[in-house]
Amino acid sequence: MLHIVNKSPLDRNSLDTCLATAQPGGALLLIEDGVYAATSGNAAAGKLTQAMGQMKVYALKADLEARGMADRVLEGVNLVDYGDFVDLVAEHATCQSWL
Amino acid sequence: MSEGQIKKFMYVNRKAPHGTVYALESLEVVLIAAAFDQDVSLAFMDDGVYQLKKGFNTKGIEVKNFQPTYRALDDYDVNKLYVEKEALDARGLTQDDMVVPVEVMSRAEIGKLMETQDVVLSF
Amino acid sequence: MNIGILINEGPYTHQATDSAYLFARAAIEKGHQVSRVFFYHDGVNNSTRLTEPPQDDRHIVNRWAKLAQDHNIDLVVCVAAALRRGIKDENLAPGFRISGLGQLIESGIQSDRYVTFGD
């Protein structure tokens, strides 16, 4: 299934709970403030990199750009646009937004 | 889809009561959902487990006490309530603190159940 | 595919409704159908016609209404949540309608995919 996280990992525990709950083979899409987790030097970078062994990780490029963080995206994170967001939703039978 | 199809709906509650309206308004959704004869389950994770902590007394904050409504869920045949074990542990709570009968599960077990749903709604 | 959307937050304070709008527009461009958008919690505030953002800002209410009109999207505002927050037919923007929570469940049943945007 597709997991969507829109919270900064340093503000809320949404990413932590998502990663602890998600089953292998799923996908994680970071949007809005969630994209900060996908940037190098962020305290959450380690756990996100670790999660990449279990699931594909995507981040919304427009949200990274809006926040001035598009130049420091963690290796292994796939950048996507809103059309790709739609494709991810269509490809997975269910999605959960970790609000 | 055909008429009369039964889908599996999971409602994920991760917010504490009273501080925000999400607990109350998601409970209102569940009550309506019960009338649709769908397969309904509720997951309480993170601060959402506080929604079920026994003994709400909301007189002092002058807000309606909606806790009795959780006890009414069974009357609506909503009886699949899953509570995250790690969330209880992290908050010094146990199953005995819960206002209604629940099934305590690990996050991973809730994650497996989530995978089997048709619709996951989170508030 | 038939995609249903739930919006839990109001305009301008949270990004949720912006993300939902851009998602819905992209879904339509990809040939999917967005059958219904359901507005709940503070999300009901996306529907008041009294909204007047500054000239140089996006008009969140009007652009939902336009997208809905152009692509036949049912914009449904939860009645209970709306009345709590002072949204009634008299200040409802064109293109929106007020109805019950059953419309949310029905959308979940009828949609192939259901996506929630909130805080």
Side-chain angles (χ1 to χ4, degrees):
Chain A
M1 69 183 286
L2 175 66
H3 298 269
I4 302 170
V5 171
N6 72 338
K7 291 292 168 300
S8 162
L10 301 179
D11 180 33
R12 306 250 204 116
N13 66 350
S14 305
L15 180 69
D16 285 336
T17 303
C18 168
L19 294 180
T21 307
Q23 299 297 295
L28 168 66
L29 171 63
L30 300 165
I31 68 168
E32 300 174 5
D33 291 346
V35 299
Y36 288 119
T39 57
S40 59
N42 188 288
K47 62 181 98 161
L48 198 67
T49 301
Q50 202 181 354
M52 287 174 201
Q54 304 276 321
M55 63 201 311
K56 283 196 170 159
V57 177
Y58 304 86
L60 204 52
K61 190 163 172 250
D63 278 323
L64 281 159
E65 288 172 345
R67 289 162 176 77
M69 299 299 273
D71 60 346
R72 59 187 75 191
V73 177
L74 218 52
E75 209 181 309
V77 173
N78 304 284
L79 297 190
V80 297
D81 62 18
Y82 287 97
D84 301 318
F85 183 173
V86 172
D87 290 343
L88 283 170
V89 166
E91 283 163 22
H92 296 86
T94 326
C95 65
Q96 147 75 346
S97 299
W98 293 90
L99 306 176
Chain B
M1 56 149 271
S2 59
E3 287 299 314
Q5 180 183 342
I6 294 179
K7 281 199 174 183
K8 295 176 94 167
F9 279 71
M10 177 181 267
Y11 297 88
V12 181
N13 301 283
R14 295 180 49 246
K15 309 255 169 86
H18 309 312
T20 55
V21 77
Y22 303 104
L24 166 65
E25 286 190 336
S26 73
L27 191 54
E28 290 179 349
V29 175
V30 171
L31 291 175
I32 299 293
F36 278 75
D37 293 327
Q38 302 293 303
D39 181 332
V40 173
S41 60
L42 277 66
F44 294 87
M45 306 183 74
D46 294 320
D47 278 354
V49 302
Y50 284 132
Q51 295 180 19
L52 299 179
K53 169 65 183 67
K54 264 181 207 168
F56 283 11
N57 177 353
T58 58
K59 281 200 185 84
I61 61 169
E62 300 189 10
V63 168
K64 182 182 153 191
N65 184 359
F66 56 90
Q67 191 157 57
T69 311
Y70 292 106
R71 288 199 290 266
L73 287 176
D74 194 44
D75 300 335
Y76 292 86
D77 289 325
V78 175
N79 40 39
K80 284 188 266 190
L81 278 64
Y82 307 118
V83 170
E84 181 202 340
K85 183 179 187 307
E86 290 87 340
L88 289 178
D89 292 348
R91 288 160 183 80
L93 298 174
T94 68
Q95 193 158 0
D96 290 342
D97 289 308
M98 301 290 99
V99 71
V100 286
V102 297
E103 191 172 340
V104 177
M105 284 187 175
S106 71
R107 287 167 160 177
E109 287 173 305
I110 292 177
K112 283 196 187 95
L113 263 180
M114 208 178 263
E115 295 270 353
T116 68
Q117 304 298 312
D118 295 307
V119 181
V120 182
L121 292 176
S122 42
F123 298 104
Chain C
M1 257 179 192
N2 186 346
I3 301 176
I5 292 175
L6 170 65
I7 298 179
N8 288 337
E9 298 299 335
Y12 304 105
T13 303
H14 291 95
Q15 203 185 337
T17 186
D18 292 301
S19 298
Y21 173 81
L22 295 168
F23 173 84
R25 203 177 63 185
I28 290 161
E29 280 166 11
K30 289 239 164 202
H32 298 293
Q33 188 196 351
V34 177
S35 48
R36 180 175 294 160
V37 179
F38 192 86
F39 297 88
Y40 196 44
H41 303 295
D42 277 357
V44 300
N45 292 318
N46 284 288
S47 70
T48 163
R49 65 180 174 81
L50 301 176
T51 306
E52 277 184 44
Q55 290 276 332
D56 59 351
D57 200 356
R58 70 224 185 275
H59 198 306
I60 291 177
V61 177
N62 287 358
R63 73 178 185 179
W64 269 122
K66 172 136 193 352
L67 193 72
Q69 190 181 22
D70 292 349
H71 303 282
N72 201 23
I73 307 171
D74 190 17
L75 303 179
V76 181
V77 180
C78 170
V79 60
L83 291 178
R84 272 195 186 113
R85 293 162 178 87
I87 308 284
K88 295 180 160 192
D89 279 326
E90 61 205 68
N91 59 342
L92 193 70
F96 293 81
R97 68 184 179 96
I98 295 177
S99 189
L101 277 168
Q103 301 283 304
L104 163 62
I105 310 299
E106 187 187 85
S107 183
I109 295 170
Q110 292 175 349
S111 303
D112 300 307
R113 296 289 183 274
Y114 207 82
V115 191
T116 304
F117 293 88
D119 179 44

